[in-house]
Amino acid sequence: MRNWATSTKLWATLGLMWVGMLVLVGWTAYDKRAGLMQERIASLEHFVGSARDMVASLAVRAEQGELTRQEAQARAIESLANLSFGEDGYLFAFDSDIRIVAHPRRALGDSMRDFQDMSGLYLYQELKATADRNPRTGGFVAYLSQRSQAGSEQVPKLSYVQRVPGWNWDLAAGVYMDDIHAAFWESLIELGVLLLGIGILLTLAMGWIIRDVLKSLGGDPHHAQEVVRRIAGGDLTQPLRLEAGDDTSLLAGIESMRLRLVASLENIRRGTARINEGVDQIVIGNQDLSARTEQQAASIEETASSMEELTQTVGQNAVNAQVASQLAFEARETAHQGGEMMADVVTTMQGIAQSAGRMKDIIEVIDSIAFQTSILALNASVEAARAGEQGRGFAVVAGEVRTLASRSADASREIRALIESSHQQVGQGAELVEKTGSTIREVVGAVTRVTDLMEEIASASGEQRIGIEQVNTAVGQMDRVTQQNAALVEQAAGEAETLRSQVAMLVQEVMWFRIEAQQQRLVHGMATAVRPTALESDPRPAELA
């Protein structure tokens, strides 16, 4: 069966389906026959059982004295004569001597001990023996019997017998089996016709499906399986056999896949060569970049060290500038205090000069008084001389007064001279003090400007220190980033080496497929160009080769 064509397998499947449907129809008909048989047997048991219960109730009434035995049996026989089972079924009864008690076709009292069917079976003896074996439940007996409308033809019949307690009557009724067989064959014919109709429809549908499947496949699947196996083995050189104009079937799709694989492999082989060249350039560039990055990292590290020293120096300068600014501030305060004291001195000197001026005026007044006193003394002497002796004492007093006036004038002149000299010195001192005050004010202004400059220098030094610290931080970050860049460059170089080895492995994998000879030579050339670079970084491609 493995070598069968797909169409053969599909038609064989259709044949198996026909066989299965035939078996299903036969089993269904047989099951229906068994169901009819069970139904007839159950109906027969119910019918005979009902008649037995009726007769048994009359027997009980006779025993109880409600009826005489003869009346009860007469009523029972009359009731049994009116009972029928189906179209041609009937009920009959016989006593322990096998004499007819009730029978629609035989006279009452006929002995049936020697009655036989066509097969030689003593029917009534067998019925009595069955009732003897099962007096409560009764039993079945199969035999041949003649239908009333069928002439002398004997047909199979099945009777059920059950005994009436007390009277020892055996009640029996039978069913003909030919109608069950007829129903079986009728059901079988109906199912056969239904099967034929369904089978024809299924055959037509299956034929259309087989035709569509074969069209969808485009050929025998064994051919497709062989081609797919060759493709799985790496052989892409064998094309598929397709029918003319077939571009939608499975085989056409496989052939399109094969052509696409061939084109993809050619592109992959070309691309791997270009990738390998690009990877070599990336590796070289990464190596150069790594060297330059290491140099840059060393330079930045030295710059960071210098910036750290500069930061410390600027920080110390900023501290010194703050100290100098504080000292300048104190000097400015001291100069301001000196200027204020010098202003007080100038004010004091000016007051002294003014006092000296007033003393000069007073001296002039004293001098004027001494001059007038001298004149008065002179006049007094003249008057005393005129007075003679009476004016002698007054003359003496006038002489003394004149002497005192002269001495006062002399003293006044000396005091004037001293005051003038002191006034000149005070004036000169005031001028010097004024000049000194101007100088001190200039010193105070200069100290103030110096203090402002020192504050600005201190502030600038602080800002410069902050800026240099920020620059130092930035340089440290640049150093760290540069170190990280250097590590990333080394990692990229390693990844490039790995990529180059993977390209070599990819080339080896692509070489596993077999294509046309011209393309194969191109692939071998690419592999030769790629393999040395790959072997330098990873020995695994050599194992694949």
Side-chain angles (χ1 to χ4, degrees):
M1 293 180 62
R2 292 182 179 180
N3 297 325
W4 287 5
T6 302
S7 59
T8 303
K9 292 181 180 180
L10 293 175
W11 288 114
T13 303
L14 180 61
L16 291 175
M17 183 178 66
W18 271 100
V19 172
M21 288 191 297
L22 290 173
V23 172
L24 179 62
V25 167
W27 179 82
T28 303
Y30 179 77
D31 184 69
K32 185 175 181 180
R33 179 180 179 277
L36 291 174
M37 181 68 73
Q38 292 294 331
E39 182 182 355
R40 292 292 180 87
I41 289 173
S43 299
L44 187 61
E45 289 179 348
H46 179 71
F47 177 69
V48 175
S50 298
R52 173 185 173 278
D53 293 338
M54 180 190 68
V55 175
S57 65
L58 291 173
V60 171
R61 292 177 64 185
E63 290 178 0
Q64 293 177 352
E66 296 180 5
L67 297 173
T68 64
R69 186 181 181 90
Q70 290 76 13
E71 290 176 349
Q73 290 182 351
R75 290 186 180 183
I77 292 171
E78 182 181 0
S79 298
L80 293 175
N82 294 325
L83 297 177
S84 62
F85 181 70
E87 295 180 358
D88 51 2
Y90 55 88
L91 180 72
F92 61 94
F94 57 92
D95 58 14
S96 59
D97 294 331
I98 314 180
R99 293 181 180 277
I100 296 298
V101 174
H103 198 296
R105 299 180 184 179
R106 299 188 186 278
L108 298 179
D110 288 348
S111 177
M112 304 299 294
R113 182 177 296 276
D114 297 327
F115 179 81
Q116 294 179 329
D117 65 356
M118 292 186 64
S119 64
L121 176 67
Y122 289 94
L123 174 61
Y124 285 87
Q125 294 182 15
E126 184 66 26
L127 290 172
K128 185 176 183 302
T130 301
D132 291 337
R133 289 192 298 269
N134 302 293
R136 295 180 61 85
T137 60
F140 290 92
V141 176
Y143 58 97
L144 297 176
S145 178
Q146 180 181 353
R147 283 182 178 271
S148 59
Q149 294 88 3
S152 61
E153 183 181 0
Q154 299 286 326
V155 296
K157 189 174 182 180
L158 182 66
S159 291
Y160 177 69
V161 62
Q162 195 171 17
R163 179 159 293 172
V164 179
W167 292 351
N168 289 326
W169 284 7
D170 293 328
L171 301 179
V175 291
Y176 293 99
M177 304 299 292
D178 58 344
D179 58 350
I180 296 177
H181 295 303
F184 167 73
W185 286 107
E186 182 180 358
S187 175
L188 185 63
I189 291 172
E190 290 177 356
L191 292 174
V193 172
L194 180 62
L195 171 67
L196 183 62
I198 295 174
I200 291 174
L201 292 177
L202 288 177
T203 302
L204 293 175
M206 194 67 182
W208 180 81
I209 291 173
I210 292 172
R211 178 177 174 276
D212 185 70
V213 167
L214 293 177
K215 182 179 179 182
S216 299
L217 293 176
D220 193 86
H222 288 292
H223 178 52
Q225 182 181 6
E226 182 64 27
V227 173
V228 171
R229 186 181 296 111
R230 287 200 303 268
I231 293 175
D235 186 5
L236 300 177
T237 60
Q238 301 295 326
L240 278 77
R241 296 187 300 272
L242 301 176
E243 296 181 0
D246 184 7
D247 56 355
T248 59
S249 65
L250 175 63
L251 294 181
I254 295 175
E255 176 63 14
S256 176
M257 178 188 69
R258 186 190 70 84
L259 296 175
R260 180 61 181 170
L261 282 175
V262 171
S264 298
L265 289 173
E266 292 176 358
N267 294 330
I268 289 173
R269 288 159 182 169
R270 295 190 186 96
T272 49
R274 291 194 295 268
I275 291 172
N276 187 67
E277 294 175 358
V279 168
D280 290 338
Q281 294 177 359
I282 291 173
V283 170
I284 296 172
N286 281 333
Q287 291 175 353
D288 294 339
L289 180 59
S290 176
R292 290 194 297 269
T293 304
E294 290 178 356
Q295 294 176 0
Q296 184 180 4
S299 300
I300 291 176
E301 186 175 1
E302 293 177 358
T303 303
S305 177
S306 300
M307 287 301 297
E308 185 176 1
E309 294 177 358
L310 181 59
T311 300
Q312 294 177 356
T313 302
V314 171
Q316 187 64 36
N317 291 336
V319 172
N320 295 333
Q322 290 179 353
V323 174
S325 176
Q326 184 65 31
L327 294 176
F329 179 76
E330 294 176 357
R332 183 180 64 181
E333 294 296 328
T334 303
H336 277 295
Q337 293 177 2
E340 292 176 356
M341 293 174 65
M342 185 56 66
D344 293 339
V345 171
V346 171
T347 302
T348 303
M349 291 299 295
Q350 289 177 353
I352 293 172
Q354 291 177 358
S355 299
R358 287 196 298 272
M359 290 175 64
K360 183 179 179 181
D361 293 336
I362 293 171
I363 292 300
E364 288 180 355
V365 172
I366 292 172
D367 191 18
S368 176
I369 291 172
F371 178 73
Q372 291 178 0
T373 302
S374 179
I375 293 175
L376 289 174
L378 181 59
N379 290 329
S381 297
V382 173
E383 291 297 330
R386 285 180 180 176
E389 191 66 27
Q390 290 82 5
R392 186 179 297 174
F394 185 72
V396 174
V397 174
E400 289 296 329
V401 170
R402 187 173 55 189
T403 303
L404 289 175
S406 175
R407 290 178 62 189
S408 296
D410 293 337
S412 175
R413 282 193 296 272
E414 290 177 1
I415 291 171
R416 179 183 296 173
L418 290 174
I419 288 174
E420 288 179 356
S421 176
S422 176
H423 186 270
Q424 291 177 355
Q425 291 176 357
V426 169
Q428 292 177 356
E431 291 178 358
L432 291 175
V433 168
E434 183 70 24
K435 292 180 180 179
T436 303
S438 299
T439 303
I440 289 176
R441 284 195 295 272
E442 292 177 358
V443 170
V444 170
V447 170
T448 301
R449 288 193 298 273
V450 170
T451 302
D452 294 337
L453 291 176
M454 289 305 295
E455 290 179 353
E456 293 178 358
I457 290 172
S459 176
S461 297
E463 295 178 355
Q464 185 178 10
R465 180 181 63 185
I466 294 172
I468 291 176
E469 288 178 354
Q470 293 177 352
V471 171
N472 190 22
T473 302
V475 170
Q477 292 177 354
M478 289 175 60
D479 187 16
R480 289 192 296 273
V481 171
T482 303
Q483 296 294 336
Q484 293 175 357
N485 290 339
L488 291 176
V489 168
E490 292 179 358
Q491 183 179 359
E495 293 295 333
E497 291 291 339
T498 302
L499 179 60
R500 184 165 61 181
S501 64
Q502 293 298 322
V503 170
M505 292 177 63
L506 179 61
V507 171
Q508 295 296 329
E509 291 293 332
V510 171
M511 287 180 61
W512 183 70
F513 290 96
R514 297 187 299 276
I515 54 179
E516 285 75 5
Q518 181 179 1
Q519 297 170 347
Q520 191 68 33
R521 286 194 298 271
L522 177 61
V523 172
H524 279 297
M526 293 181 181
T528 303
V530 172
R531 189 180 298 112
T533 58
L535 292 175
E536 291 174 0
S537 59
D538 196 342
R540 288 177 292 180
E543 297 175 3
L544 293 175

